[in-house]
Amino acid sequence: MTEAYPQSRRPGIRAAMFVDFDNVYTGLHALDPVAAKRFAEDPKHWADALSAGGAGEQSRRFLIRNCYLNPVVYSKYRTYWTRAGFRVIDCPSLTQRGKSSTDINLVLDAMDALAGPAGIEEFFIASADADFTSLVQRFRAADRMTTVIAAGAVAFAYREMADNVVESHDFVAILHGTTSEPMPAMRSVDTKGGVLPGRTKAVSPAVNEVGEFVRGAPGPVAGAMVAHRALTADPSLKADWGGYGKFGTWVAQLGNGIEYSAAQGGWVWDTKRFSGADLPTDAAVQPGIEEQVARVTDVPALSEAQFRQMFLALEARLRENPVTRSELARLVRDDCVTAGQPVSRNAVNFVIQGFGYVDFQLSDTATAGELAAAWTENVEELCRVALMEFDETEKVELRRWASGGFVAG
């Protein structure tokens, strides 16, 4: 019986990339103008980085490379993209409000690729625009891998539908050439719907992150908090929790004194200090504001003290005018560890990224209080977008927590 489409005769995952130029460039420019320039003027560099994959990964063959841009605004970048092997599709504004035809052109081309004879295994959508959520749903329904390359805030539903998300700070690192493993290890799907043999991957950094977090906790920790820590340390786990399918199964096999129970929503504890008898009763299981927010949004599940230390470290380091955002994140992470309030570099990057979404400019005059207020505004907006509702008391608690105590209410 003839196959629906031929298998690839060359090594590498068959992939397709669709770039919403306007969306990515605008998002990057708000975060890091230098990275935005590199994205626009050297697409071959980062596209080749994605093609190569990270350590222990298969390479990718981008059979389709499409770039959709508004020629009225961004025509000067066209040559860079055509020379890099991209097909550039002009998407001029079609309405008085400036809405371009990018969405419809990208969706039509992507659906053609899904139904085409090439047997695309992995679809890359470079856009944080939640309008593409339905498109990603179609890829998922066809059992194809989907990766979103974000340069801005990603709507929760859009993020959840994708198999992988290349976060803004990770993409900036790729553009600056400061990472050797640009993409998380992912499963690959054959054209008959089955899963191809997995690729070898080093031990997830989430293992150490979870171990340190749980062993340092004053009691059993809610599973949602531990899961958020794990995903912050290793976003690639989001696809299928390292092949275990779900968080509970993944954390239960860690061993080394880490115990998990699915009771009352899931709890994790250090067996050297606690047991199942130490789990809170049903009456006591009322998640705090930080757990609620971390569970529904991507806000790091840090303590009030950790946020406070981060803002103090940011204020001090901004006085020194660090060269790049990546360097700033590393320095702040190290300062927090030294101060006894350890936070991950991903958490610092997430907070730095949040300043851009509320148009707060990082400068050498920014105070910890101003940084805290701007970040809190971003957290409140994320909660609003996620349709989270709070009473007045909870709003005060939210602001105090997110601001590290700098915003009273």
Side-chain angles (χ1 to χ4, degrees):
M1 182 175 179
T2 303
E3 293 184 356
Y5 32 79
Q7 296 292 322
S8 172
R9 297 182 178 85
R10 303 179 190 176
I13 299 170
R14 296 183 297 280
M17 181 183 294
F18 302 89
V19 180
D20 181 347
F21 182 95
D22 302 28
N23 180 278
V24 176
Y25 181 83
T26 301
L28 283 174
H29 196 271
L31 294 173
D32 188 328
V34 174
K37 180 178 175 64
R38 291 182 177 178
F39 161 77
E41 297 183 356
D42 192 8
K44 185 178 187 302
H45 164 74
W46 58 264
D48 286 351
L50 296 178
S51 296
E57 291 186 1
Q58 280 183 263
S59 61
R60 298 175 181 82
R61 295 178 54 229
F62 283 105
L63 305 184
I64 298 172
R65 295 187 182 190
N66 285 1
C67 172
Y68 305 81
L69 59 76
N70 186 333
V72 176
V73 183
Y74 299 114
S75 61
K76 64 180 180 180
Y77 297 118
R78 167 189 285 276
T79 303
Y80 298 110
W81 290 74
T82 56
R83 290 179 60 183
F86 280 80
R87 171 178 169 242
V88 178
I89 297 90
D90 288 336
C91 300
S93 298
L94 300 178
T95 68
Q96 292 181 340
R97 295 184 177 181
K99 179 66 174 177
S100 75
S101 56
T102 290
D103 290 11
I104 186 63
N105 281 309
L106 191 156
V107 169
L108 288 172
D109 288 344
M111 290 304 296
D112 284 345
L114 179 62
I120 301 298
E121 298 169 290
E122 187 174 1
F123 287 83
F124 283 70
I125 304 296
S127 177
D129 191 340
D131 289 350
F132 295 122
T133 302
S134 296
L135 178 63
V136 174
Q137 287 177 327
R138 294 297 294 270
F139 295 150
R140 193 180 186 90
D143 201 11
R144 308 300 169 85
M145 290 296 297
T146 57
T147 297
V148 170
I149 301 175
V154 181
F156 188 73
Y158 187 28
R159 176 185 297 276
E160 288 302 302
M161 286 308 304
D163 290 291
N164 298 278
V165 177
V166 179
E167 303 288 356
S168 300
H169 55 268
D170 290 327
F171 193 39
V172 167
I174 293 172
L175 292 166
H176 284 306
T178 57
T179 176
S180 60
E181 297 186 22
M183 288 296 299
M186 296 181 287
R187 67 169 188 166
S188 55
V189 182
D190 69 22
T191 53
K192 296 179 181 178
V195 178
L196 297 176
R199 284 165 272 173
T200 302
K201 184 185 177 187
V203 175
S204 168
V207 174
N208 288 334
E209 175 72 17
V210 166
E212 292 178 6
F213 179 48
V214 173
R215 293 187 187 98
V221 186
M225 300 284 284
V226 178
H228 193 278
R229 284 295 188 107
L231 293 175
T232 299
D234 185 358
S236 71
L237 288 175
K238 183 181 178 217
D240 63 352
W241 285 101
Y244 291 94
K246 56 185 180 179
F247 167 72
T249 306
W250 176 81
V251 76
Q253 57 80 41
L254 293 182
N256 295 321
I258 302 297
E259 188 76 21
Y260 171 77
S261 171
Q264 305 169 3
W267 290 86
V268 185
W269 64 91
D270 175 9
T271 57
K272 293 182 179 180
R273 298 183 296 140
F274 308 104
S275 69
D278 295 302
L279 295 182
T281 62
D282 289 339
V285 183
Q286 294 296 330
I289 199 72
E290 64 272 20
E291 182 179 342
Q292 295 179 51
V293 174
R295 183 183 298 171
V296 178
T297 72
D298 286 326
V299 172
L302 304 179
S303 67
E304 180 179 322
Q306 287 174 310
F307 274 126
R308 186 179 187 85
Q309 184 57 50
M310 189 188 302
F311 299 133
L312 291 170
L314 275 167
E315 176 185 340
R317 289 299 181 179
L318 285 170
R319 298 286 187 273
E320 302 172 3
N321 294 307
V323 178
T324 66
R325 297 289 175 85
S326 178
E327 179 70 5
L328 175 62
R330 183 186 66 78
L331 292 170
V332 169
R333 186 269 318 269
D334 292 346
D335 289 345
C336 289
V337 171
T338 301
Q341 295 293 342
V343 299
S344 70
R345 191 168 176 176
N346 280 340
V348 180
N349 270 313
F350 191 92
V351 171
I352 292 175
Q353 178 178 301
F355 295 130
Y357 301 146
V358 292
D359 295 324
F360 182 84
Q361 299 299 317
L362 296 178
S363 68
D364 58 6
T365 61
T367 66
E370 291 170 343
L371 292 163
W375 163 248
T376 302
E377 181 183 346
N378 178 59
V379 172
E380 290 180 312
E381 177 61 15
L382 290 174
C383 292
R384 186 192 66 79
V385 172
L387 303 180
M388 298 186 73
E389 297 182 357
F390 305 109
D391 59 29
E392 290 305 315
T393 300
E394 290 172 327
K395 289 178 182 178
V396 171
E397 184 182 351
L398 170 65
R399 291 168 188 150
R400 184 178 61 249
W401 163 68
S403 70
F406 281 105
V407 178

